[in-house]
Structures are given as structure tokens and as C-alpha cells.
């Protein structure tokens, strides 16, 4: 069964850090690009970070550059999002997504994990 399971969310104070994990199963993880998205109440879902199949290239939203780092461990079928210097504006549900231009399924979404930044 194709599945992505996020973990690591929670409540953190401004300036704090969290590391999110997303473990994949049911498909060939190493042949999929991986992304982290987030969605805050009343807002559209937005791309936060992306990483290529081998981890050779990454991209970030301007709002998180210098604070967040995406990485992957293909041996563990897991993608990570290290979040430092967190701000209240980072509060959202964070989702991981797997995507492929040639393989099926084309896209797979995780259930999401809540991140709340508040004092």
C-alpha cells in the first residue's frame, strides 16, 4: 500500500527548532522527488522545500531560506525537514509529497503534521 507518514510536529516557542520526518512505503522511494508543503488556516497550500531523487539539488520558498533544510535518506525511505529559528508565521499543517514524471502513482500525499509556533 502506497503510504507517506509524517512525524515530528508539535508546539514550539518562537526561535525554537523542530525536525519533521516523512517515511515512505509501497513505492520506489529513490525514484521520486520529494517536497514539503504547508497550509495555514485560511490560506492556500504552499511549497516550502523540494529535493531531487538523489538529493543533489534543493529549492526553498523565500520565506524559509536560511532557516529550513530539506534532506533525504534513500536507504531509510525518509525525507526530513529541519526547521530552525521558527516564527509564529510558520504555524501550519506540514505535508510531504512524492512525485514522479514517469512512474505511477504520479503523486502521493501524506496526512500532514501540525506545527504550532507560539509563546
Amino acid at each position: 500500500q502506497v503510504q507517506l507518514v509524517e512525524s515530528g510536529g508539535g508546539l514550539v516557542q518562537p526561535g525554537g527548532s523542530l525536525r519533521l520526518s516523512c517515511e515512505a512505503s509501497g513505492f520506489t522511494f529513490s525514484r521520486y522527488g520529494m517536497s514539503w508543503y504547508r497550509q495555514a488556516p485560511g490560506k492556500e497550500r504552499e511549497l516550502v522545500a523540494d529535493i531531487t531523487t538523489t538529493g543533489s539539488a534543493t529549492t526553498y520558498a523565500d520565506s524559509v531560506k536560511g532557516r529550513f533544510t530539506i534532506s533525504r535518506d534513500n536507504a531509510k525511505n525518509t525525507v526530513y525537514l529541519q526547521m530552525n529559528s521558527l516564527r509564529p508565521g510558520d504555524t501550519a499543517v506540514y505535508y510531504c509529497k512524492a512525485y514522479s514524471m514517469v512512474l505511477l502513482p504520479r503523486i502521493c500525499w501524506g496526512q500532514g503534521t501540525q506545527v504550532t509556533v507560539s509563546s
Side-chain angles (χ1 to χ4, degrees), residues 65-115:
K65 286 180 180 177
R67 300 188 297 120
F68 291 10
T69 303
I70 187 171
S71 61
R72 67 190 295 161
D73 186 340
N74 285 350
K76 296 182 178 180
N77 290 347
T78 302
V79 63
Y80 305 94
L81 185 67
Q82 178 67 46
M83 305 185 295
N84 298 326
S85 301
L86 284 162
R87 306 165 180 169
D90 296 319
T91 296
V93 177
Y94 284 71
Y95 301 89
C96 63
K97 183 186 82 172
Y99 64 92
S100 175
M101 298 296 184
V102 295
L103 301 180
L104 294 176
R106 305 292 189 207
I107 297 173
C108 184
W109 288 94
Q111 181 179 345
T113 185
Q114 176 71 47
V115 172

